[in-house]
Structures are given as structure tokens and as C-alpha cells.
Amino acid sequence: MRIVVLNCKNLVTEGLIVKFIVGLLLGLALVPVGAYLYFTGGSAPVATTDADMPFEKFFVKKAQHARIDKEMPKTVPIQPNEASYLAGAELYKQHCAVCHGLPLTPKTAVAAGMYPNPPALLEGKGVTDDSPGESYWKIFNGFRLTGMPGFSKSLTETQMWQIALLVANADKLPPSAKAVLVAPAPNVPAASGTPAPMNPPASTSPALPPPK
């Protein structure tokens, strides 16, 4: 009798283990199926006004920081002097201001409609707590699915470093660079409705070799 009871208990235990394994496998199989239905069924947040996906910011920021820390240049090949800041200010106005703003200037319609919200780089802390190499990596590469383009094919190495130095030192720019940033942009009417004066062209410094 004892043997029969023991055999029955073993069968019950084995049956529970089998059910557990089958349930686990079914649960694992449902995860990719559920994800597929979520993205193809029109439920995923793809509009700029939608809320974040679960853990979206957490995983995106982790991936960004890991990649940037691994690849960003550790040395700056140009000097952070007035000439670099002036050239960077002109380039920033041409290529960055529409999204990241200018001092004492309201946010543009482009910036207001973007997701993620582009940070203001010349007011408040901006990215002054980041190294110039980190800002350079962002300018060079951009970020997928954010509206932030990479400028490696449109600007020289020198020009990208000039912008990186500008935003990394936005809290201690010389008055001449600040004056460039607050001056009306080229071909944009001033507040009074009269044409704005043309600004001098951006720096045409020769390209530097890619930093190592």
C-alpha cells in the first residue's frame, strides 16, 4: 500500500512540474506575440503627443549613456578661445537654434512640436555639466527617432568642435559670443518689422583630423 501511495505522490508531483513547464513556455511564447500585436495593432505611441512607452526613457537613456561613454573623444583638438566661441555661435544659430533655442527668445513652433522635447542649451544649466567630447559625439552622430540629426556629413570636424565648445561653456561665454547669439538671425525680420542686418558668414576653418 505504501508503495502505491508513494507512486501516486510522485505522479502528482511530476504532473505539477509538467504543468508548470508547459505554462512557463506558453507564457514566454505570448510575450513576443503580445508585443507584435501591440505594435501592429495601432496601440503603440508614435505621435509626438503620446505618452512614453513603459520604461522607454529608462532604457533609451541607459543605451545612450553607455554608447557615448564608450565612444566620445576624451581630448579637445581646438582651443576654447573667443575665436572658437564666435564661430560656434554663428554655426549654432544656423543649425541648432531652431530646436534648442537662443537666449531671451521664445521657443519656436518646431521645438514646441518635437518629441522628445529638445533641451534649451543656452539657458539654465543646459549641457554645461557635460564634457565637450560628449556634446561633440551628439553633434557628430545625432539620435535616432528624436529629430536630432547627425552633422558629420554637413559640417567639418572643426565646426562641430566649435559648437560643442560653445554649448559646453554656455555659462561662461565672452560678451562678444553672447552678442552674436542675441543678434537677429540672417534674413529674419526684426521685431519692429524692418529687415534684420546680415550676420557675418560662419567660420570656414579647415577640417581637423578625427580625434582619437
Side-chain angles (χ1 to χ4, degrees):
M1 178 64 73
R2 172 180 280 183
I3 296 175
V4 173
V5 172
L6 290 174
N7 287 338
C8 290
K9 288 182 177 179
N10 290 336
L11 290 173
V12 170
T13 302
E14 291 176 359
L16 291 174
I17 294 174
V18 171
K19 288 182 179 180
F20 173 78
I21 294 174
V22 171
L24 180 63
L25 293 175
L26 287 175
L28 292 175
L30 287 175
V31 171
V33 173
Y36 175 81
L37 294 175
Y38 174 73
F39 285 103
T40 60
S43 299
V46 295
T48 58
T49 54
D50 289 339
D52 296 333
M53 285 188 290
F55 304 106
E56 179 179 354
K57 284 186 178 180
F58 174 80
F59 286 114
V60 169
K61 287 186 178 295
K62 285 289 185 183
Q64 287 179 356
H65 287 307
R67 179 75 179 273
I68 293 172
D69 290 344
K70 177 183 176 182
E71 296 182 354
M72 71 178 184
K74 302 301 188 291
T75 59
V76 182
I78 65 174
Q79 292 298 315
N81 52 33
E82 185 173 14
S84 296
Y85 292 140
L86 287 172
E90 289 289 355
L91 291 163
Y92 178 93
K93 289 180 70 173
Q94 295 175 29
H95 302 286
C96 314
V98 66
C99 295
H100 295 289
L102 289 166
L104 308 176
T105 304
K107 181 182 292 188
T108 65
V110 172
M114 293 184 69
Y115 177 88
N117 184 39
L121 299 182
L122 300 180
E123 294 184 344
K125 182 175 69 174
V127 291
T128 55
D129 56 340
D130 296 338
S131 69
E134 179 170 345
S135 293
Y136 173 84
W137 189 99
K138 296 174 182 177
I139 296 165
F140 186 97
N141 293 283
F143 288 117
R144 297 164 65 95
L145 306 179
T146 66
M148 171 64 186
F151 289 94
S152 60
K153 296 181 180 179
S154 55
L155 297 178
T156 66
E157 296 284 340
T158 298
Q159 290 172 326
M160 288 185 285
W161 275 113
Q162 289 167 340
I163 300 174
L165 285 173
L166 179 85
V167 297
N169 297 284
D171 56 344
K172 45 184 176 287
L173 295 175
S176 56
K178 293 179 180 178
V180 171
L181 292 168
V182 298
N187 301 323
V188 175
S192 62
T194 57
M198 294 292 290
N199 288 325
S203 169
T204 56
S205 304
L208 295 175
K212 296 182 180 179

